[in-house]
Amino acid sequence: MSLSSVQFLLSLISIACCRPLSCDFEPLIGDDTNFCSTDLHVIYPKMGDASCIYIPNCFNYAISLTQVWGPPWIKYDNAMAERMYTLIMVDPDVPSRFKPRYRFWRHWLVTDIPGYVLLRGEDVSGNVVSSYHRPNVPAQTGYHRYQFLLYMQNPEYSPSLLDGQAPRASWDVTEFVQRSALGDPVATSQFMIIHPLQ
C-alpha cells in the first residue's frame, strides 16, 4: 500500500471518530414544556421539527439555524382552512433569561395567513409585518427560548404595528394582541438554543 493510500485511510478514520454519528434531540423539561402545543410544528426542512426541543450542537444545526437557514415552515394541525391567522416569533430572554431587560425581541410577525397554508405545513405566506430574523444568541448568556404564538384573527381586524414600533427590542406583545383583538393563542411552541460555540 502506498504512503498516499495510508494517509487517505487515516484521514477517513479521523473523520469517522470525531464526527457524531447521530444527533439526540432532547425534549424540553420542566415548566418550559407547558408552552408547547402538540398540534403546532416548527419545521426547519434540513433538521426537522424543532418544536419543544433543545437544539443540538451537532451536524452544524445550531450554526445553520443562527447563520444560514431562513424561516421555518409552520404546520398547525387544527387550522380552519377558511380563517386567517397571525404568527408571532419572539425571544423573551434578551439579553439573558435571568436579566431580560429587552424582552420581547420580535423575530418574525406575519398576519393574514390562510388556514389552508398552515394545514399544509410549508412556507408561511401572508402579510409579512416583520421579516424573519434568525435566532441570535449572544455568547455567555445561556439558553434562549424562541417562542411561536399562533392566533386566529378576528375577521374585523387586520393586525399591524403602530408608528414607532419598528424597533424589534422591548416589543409589547400584550399591547399588540389586545389592540388587534386576537384573544388567546390557539397554539404555542418554542425551542431553546445556546450560542453555537458554548
Side-chain angles (χ1 to χ4, degrees):
M1 186 179 286
S2 68
L3 180 60
S4 61
S5 297
V6 171
Q7 289 173 330
F8 177 73
L9 285 173
L10 289 174
S11 68
L12 286 179
I13 292 169
S14 173
I15 291 170
C17 77
C18 299
R19 179 177 174 138
L21 297 177
S22 65
C23 259
D24 293 325
F25 291 84
E26 297 291 335
L28 299 184
I29 59 173
D31 289 342
D32 288 318
T33 61
N34 297 333
F35 197 82
C36 300
S37 304
T38 58
D39 52 2
L40 183 62
H41 310 279
V42 178
I43 303 164
Y44 289 91
K46 293 186 178 179
M47 183 180 70
D49 194 345
S51 303
C52 211
I53 64 168
Y54 296 95
I55 302 298
N57 264 333
C58 54
F59 298 143
N60 290 325
Y61 284 150
I63 291 173
S64 297
L65 193 70
T66 57
Q67 299 177 21
V68 180
W69 293 340
W73 297 349
I74 302 295
K75 186 175 191 299
Y76 175 45
D77 298 335
N78 295 316
M80 298 177 65
E82 72 282 2
R83 294 296 297 270
M84 293 291 185
Y85 292 81
T86 290
L87 175 70
I88 295 171
M89 175 187 176
V90 290
D91 177 356
D93 304 324
V94 181
S96 71
R97 187 164 185 172
F98 301 103
K99 293 184 180 178
R101 293 188 304 272
Y102 304 114
R103 75 166 31 160
F104 290 85
W105 184 279
R106 188 176 65 249
H107 278 263
W108 200 19
L109 174 58
V110 186
T111 65
D112 302 328
I113 305 168
Y116 64 83
V117 169
L118 297 170
L119 287 170
R120 287 197 312 244
E122 297 177 355
D123 287 323
V124 172
S125 60
N127 177 29
V128 180
V129 179
S130 290
S131 61
Y132 180 75
H133 190 276
R134 295 183 188 99
N136 181 22
V137 182
Q140 308 303 320
T141 62
Y143 276 96
H144 281 230
R145 294 167 290 172
Y146 287 89
Q147 299 182 331
F148 296 79
L149 301 97
L150 185 68
Y151 298 85
M152 184 185 293
Q153 289 179 195
N154 185 321
E156 298 179 6
Y157 294 90
S158 182
S160 61
L161 295 175
L162 297 174
D163 291 342
Q165 289 186 323
R168 294 178 182 254
S170 302
W171 184 45
D172 190 339
V173 177
T174 301
E175 184 277 334
F176 173 81
V177 167
Q178 291 177 346
R179 180 172 49 79
S180 303
L182 290 172
D184 293 329
V186 294
T188 55
S189 191
Q190 65 179 342
F191 61 78
M192 292 177 66
I193 188 169
I194 200 166
H195 189 278
L197 301 181
Q198 281 184 242

